[in-house]
Amino acid sequence: AAPSGSLAEPTRKRAETYLARSLKQLQPTRMEGEISAGMRYDTNPAHLPAASFTNDYTSSSGAYEDLVKYRKGAEETAYVALQLHAEHDLSDARRHQLELNFAAYASENLRQAELSGQAAAFDLGPRLSLIPGAGHDITIRPYIKADSAYADEGRVLSTGGGGAAVSIPLGRWLTLEPFGEWRTVYATVNNSDPYTSSSLLSDGNLASVGMAVTWQPADILSFEASGRVDRLQANEKFLDAEILTLTLAATFDVPAPLESMPYNWSFTPFVRYVDAGFGAANDSFEEYTAARTRHDKRLRTGLAANLPITAHLGLAGLLEYQRSNSNIERFRNHGMTASVSMTFSF
């Protein structure tokens, strides 16, 4: 037993960990991030390399999340990912700060090396306080952003542009965040083979608007709902698209199973629905006709887990079901994905 008036060792270590994190937030320049490495198993994957990289890891829209069937059957992929967030205070009095987000991802497909790839993305901009000194400050963040994805054939897709997001706290627990952005899309297009992934890419312009709502009724429970509309004006008219994306997620924390573990474990069930309508039929595929302009409906649902073991090391896992329905048979698919990774946070 701990001496009278002192904390038990696990409690003391947990308090020290939280204190170190709190003191870090008081610094004028702050940085935090996570490196993860793991394995992913897909029961029935459908591939557009640029889509899985840019959409899942660099926050591009789902405009290019087309399903080009390289093969049917299960496969395994090894991957490593980096996520970084940095802040620098610009003014103590007005609470302005500069924010940077950076993400990078690399994968190695163990069945088909040509489906391996890399991606990187960043966004940078100031967060400006609109009502300095208010208890729940409204802020606006204009930003620039860019991302790029590569596969075996070289660069597949890049985007660059900017936008702005406004954070509106409504009391202590509820926050609204509307945003709008515009990006230019640069694609490496393969017109010689309509059945490759790059044949479904096109240069163009992408405009997006949306809203995220976060409700946190308790420290260990939060809910997030978001909706966005993407309008892609592509050089290839059959890739002109209007895309509606709706996402619902809840995150709840539970005590770690061992007292020596400094942080709670968190679990996030989620569901995402995407409705994508395209502008014209694609004559490259025999099943396209003028009366069959493509229209996709996609569903993704699953459970993500974040399991810290020490102050820096942990485990992460994902179990997800995906289904894509389309009036064009080539773009129909369904399957399960499971992944597990080791994480190092700093």
Side-chain angles (χ1 to χ4, degrees):
S4 177
S6 65
L7 295 175
E9 183 67 12
T11 304
R12 183 183 63 80
K13 288 185 176 181
R14 180 170 294 193
E16 289 175 348
T17 300
Y18 278 99
L19 178 60
R21 174 179 283 188
S22 299
L23 291 175
K24 184 178 180 180
Q25 295 304 311
L26 297 177
Q27 301 299 314
T29 299
R30 303 167 294 280
M31 182 176 68
E32 60 183 10
E34 181 179 274
I35 300 172
S36 60
M39 293 289 299
R40 184 175 66 249
Y41 176 79
D42 296 288
T43 63
N44 185 28
H47 295 284
L48 177 61
S52 60
F53 302 149
T54 58
N55 190 54
D56 293 340
Y57 291 93
T58 66
S59 302
S60 291
S61 79
Y64 292 118
E65 200 174 346
D66 299 297
L67 303 177
V68 179
K69 306 291 182 63
Y70 280 85
R71 62 185 292 276
K72 287 188 175 181
E75 67 180 31
E76 302 81 30
T77 302
Y79 64 90
V80 60
L82 166 67
Q83 296 184 5
L84 177 68
H85 176 75
E87 300 174 351
H88 176 71
D89 291 337
L90 300 175
S91 168
D92 291 336
R94 297 183 62 86
R95 295 195 294 181
H96 299 332
Q97 63 186 35
L98 184 66
E99 296 183 4
L100 168 69
N101 295 299
F102 176 79
Y105 173 77
S107 72
E108 181 68 28
N109 190 295
L110 304 185
R111 299 288 183 97
Q112 296 187 97
E114 65 270 20
L115 296 179
S116 304
Q118 307 85 38
F122 82 94
D123 66 70
L124 174 68
R127 184 172 297 277
L128 306 175
S129 174
L130 298 183
I131 309 178
H136 302 288
D137 193 5
I138 298 175
T139 63
I140 183 170
R141 182 176 183 257
Y143 57 85
I144 58 173
K145 67 185 305 183
D147 56 51
S148 191
Y150 297 81
D152 183 66
E153 56 195 87
R155 185 182 66 87
V156 179
L157 179 69
S158 298
T159 75
V166 180
S167 179
I168 308 172
L170 301 178
R172 182 181 178 187
W173 303 111
L174 183 64
T175 302
L176 308 181
E177 188 164 331
F179 76 93
E181 65 180 38
W182 177 89
R183 283 179 284 162
T184 299
V185 180
Y186 307 93
T188 301
V189 182
N190 179 1
N191 291 319
S192 62
D193 184 356
Y195 295 94
T196 63
S197 63
S198 58
S199 70
L200 288 174
L201 302 176
S202 173
D203 291 346
N205 295 308
L206 182 66
S208 307
V209 294
M211 167 82 79
V213 180
T214 303
W215 178 45
Q216 187 175 7
D219 289 337
I220 61 172
L221 178 64
S222 64
F223 299 90
E224 182 173 344
S226 65
R228 63 181 293 157
V229 176
D230 298 291
R231 178 68 176 96
L232 174 65
Q233 291 182 318
N235 292 351
E236 298 289 346
K237 294 304 178 185
F238 68 88
L239 287 176
D240 275 359
E242 291 185 356
I243 303 156
L244 170 67
T245 303
L246 302 174
T247 303
L248 293 173
T251 299
F252 59 92
D253 293 352
V254 299
L258 300 178
E259 288 188 355
S260 59
M261 296 178 178
Y263 300 123
N264 289 339
W265 287 10
S266 65
F267 298 88
T268 304
F270 64 90
V271 60
R272 175 179 295 170
Y273 172 76
V274 179
D275 190 296
F278 292 80
N282 182 355
D283 295 333
S284 298
F285 291 138
E286 67 278 4
E287 61 263 52
Y288 276 94
T289 68
R292 298 189 70 195
T293 300
R294 179 179 162 202
H295 189 181
D296 296 351
K297 296 181 179 181
R298 307 166 192 157
L299 178 69
R300 299 173 64 178
T301 185
L303 176 69
N306 182 32
L307 314 175
I309 305 300
T310 71
H312 299 288
L313 297 177
L315 295 172
L318 173 70
L319 182 63
E320 181 182 71
Y321 172 76
Q322 313 110 11
R323 185 176 189 88
S324 180
N325 292 320
S326 177
N327 62 336
I328 306 297
E329 183 178 359
R330 180 170 304 279
F331 299 102
R332 300 171 190 166
N333 191 60
H334 65 91
M336 295 288 297
T337 296
S339 68
V340 62
S341 62
M342 290 289 298
T343 62
F344 174 78
S345 59
F346 55 91

